[in-house]
Amino acid sequence: LSATFRAVPSRLGRHVALVLEQPRVVVPVVRSGVLLVTVDGLTAETVLEPGYAPLTENAAREGRVRAVQAAGLGTRAGLASILTGRPPEQNGVRTGRERLSREAPTLATLLSTQGYRTVAVIEGESLGRASGLLRGFDEVHLAPLGTPVDVLGASALRSLAEHQGGPVFLWLHTGHPLPPYLPTERSAKLFPTGRGAVEQLSPRNRAPWARDVEDARILRNRHRAEYSEVDTEVTRLIQHPVLRGCAWAVVGVRGQNQGEHDLWWEARTPSPAVFRTAAMTGGLKADLVLQALGGEAADVGRALLAGSKLLPEAYSDIPPGSGVVLSEDGRRAALSLADGIAILALQDLPDQPGAPALPRHGFRWRGSARSQKALREARQQLVEGLVAMGVRKLDGCACEPCRAAQ
């Protein structure tokens, strides 16, 4: 609540009267943090089955866990799709050697323009600067392949502890559930082998790094034990004051075989299990995130923007001078100008994550501040562009071209 005092000359000599003007409510704009945790080799079954991962189990009970389709077999290709929301053929990364296209905006580049401090804590040197995945990050902690997830989590927590204020986007990537499965002794004890029938592995189908393991249940439990450690670290992060109430998601980059064709350890074998992974979310933003989350792992980045109410409007990448552009569904028209984008609804648009509903012929401006007169001019330019395309009138629209055509 804000109040202003105004000095008013008094008729009582040199005295000055202070008059309290009408108070006004000031609503501060507080942007929540964004947390993305990517887990290489995460199978949908591991997340959907119960087993000493409290955060995940609670999310599953509340319907906040989904099986999703991985973008590809490789780690770099999968991460590129998650960070950009674009498939490999659009972001330029189809293998583990290609660099992310500079034309593909990422979560980090989008959020940094919104004033977010962007931090990446990554396992695997091949995902460093040369990959293009770290474009837009202010702070990067690159750890060797095989770094335990609790070490990665501790690095992320130290970065949060040094934060000076403002919203944060934190990306943590781990390959913890990938072979060889080496959970901590404490985690391994939570998953004893002995339930159900023995799943015998023939010598030729045993993992090269586990030739002495004859029962597939042992490998499965080690995998689940490692994921329980990921669950612990995610819990620690979302409870940190800097990320409290943030929009967060955990998503697998790719799955693994779990018994298909007698294979249990190969993550690169092209089978349905490798392309089937999982995504989950929670907290105050869960409904908005889930609303925007489809059936692809690549949807997660867009869903996090929706949960943070920062989902970019369509046409955000239209260069100035392109003329009026119509959306694929024919419900919007847009015109890119030097200082922003003018958008006109051609049909009623329902509520969308991150944007208010827009009625038919309603106008929205995305860009730098403009006066009301300048906004009217931008709208008129857009409508005149539609007329030039053959649209002679917009029924019910009060702008000059429409009134003249009616």
Side-chain angles (χ1 to χ4, degrees), residues 52 183-193 195 221 225 228-229:
Y52 298 98
T184 63
E185 184 177 352
R186 177 181 175 278
S187 298
K189 288 180 179 179
L190 298 175
F191 296 86
T193 302
R195 299 176 183 174
N221 284 343
S228 73
E229 296 169 12

Side-chain angles (χ1 to χ4, degrees), residues 50-354:
Y52 298 98
L55 183 70
T56 302
E57 291 182 42
N58 184 56
R61 281 193 298 269
E62 296 180 358
R64 294 184 279 103
V65 178
R66 290 187 186 174
V68 293
Q69 184 81 0
L73 294 175
T75 303
R76 187 182 292 192
L79 289 174
S81 291
I82 292 170
L83 291 172
T84 64
R86 300 184 179 187
E89 57 270 20
Q90 293 183 16
N91 64 45
V93 182
R94 297 178 177 84
T95 69
R97 295 181 297 274
E98 293 170 316
R99 181 181 176 87
L100 180 65
S101 169
R102 290 191 174 276
E103 298 178 358
T106 67
L107 266 176
T109 57
L110 291 171
L111 289 172
S112 63
T113 62
Q114 299 291 330
Y116 278 69
R117 174 178 169 236
T118 52
V119 181
V121 180
I122 308 299
E123 175 193 350
E125 294 90 335
S126 65
L127 305 176
R129 296 289 185 186
S131 69
L133 300 176
L134 299 178
R135 188 185 313 131
F137 281 97
D138 302 317
E139 182 181 335
V140 174
H141 302 269
L142 196 60
L145 199 64
T147 300
V149 68
D150 61 332
V151 175
L152 298 174
S155 179
L157 289 170
R158 282 194 298 272
S159 178
L160 294 177
E162 297 170 357
H163 184 54
Q164 300 297 318
V168 172
F169 167 48
L170 172 62
W171 172 35
L172 186 145
H173 172 72
T174 178
H176 198 46
L178 284 176
Y181 310 117
L182 300 172
T184 63
E185 184 177 352
R186 177 181 175 278
S187 298
K189 288 180 179 179
L190 298 175
F191 296 86
T193 302
R195 299 176 183 174
V198 173
E199 299 179 33
Q200 190 71 36
L201 286 171
S202 63
R204 71 182 182 87
N205 289 329
R206 294 175 191 171
W209 38 266
R211 291 293 186 190
D212 59 330
V213 177
E214 301 177 358
D215 189 347
R217 294 177 302 170
I218 296 175
L219 299 179
R220 184 172 292 110
N221 284 343
R222 289 179 183 174
H223 181 275
R224 294 174 65 197
E226 283 205 347
Y227 177 73
S228 73
E229 296 169 12
V230 175
D231 185 275
T232 298
E233 295 308 312
V234 175
T235 302
R236 293 171 63 194
L237 289 172
I238 63 177
Q239 290 177 347
H240 192 279
V242 174
L243 291 177
R244 193 166 294 155
C246 70
W248 64 268
V250 178
V251 61
V253 181
R254 53 180 172 168
Q256 293 181 62
N257 288 304
Q258 291 212 345
E260 287 192 342
H261 311 296
D262 293 323
L263 289 173
W264 211 91
W265 57 91
E266 280 287 344
R268 291 185 176 274
T269 301
S271 68
V274 179
F275 287 98
R276 188 170 185 264
T277 184
M280 74 169 186
T281 185
L284 300 175
K285 317 290 184 182
D287 290 342
L288 288 174
V289 174
L290 286 173
Q291 184 179 348
L293 181 61
E296 305 284 336
D299 296 333
V300 170
R302 177 182 176 84
L304 285 174
L305 290 174
S308 305
K309 297 188 176 180
L310 292 168
L311 190 65
E313 188 68 54
Y315 318 110
S316 59
D317 55 354
I318 298 175
S322 302
V324 175
V325 178
L326 297 177
S327 63
E328 293 182 0
D329 59 8
R331 303 178 78 176
R332 303 182 190 88
L335 176 66
S336 182
L337 301 172
D339 58 339
I341 297 177
I343 302 167
L344 185 72
L346 303 181
Q347 301 176 30
D348 288 337
L349 297 179
D351 288 330
Q352 297 177 334

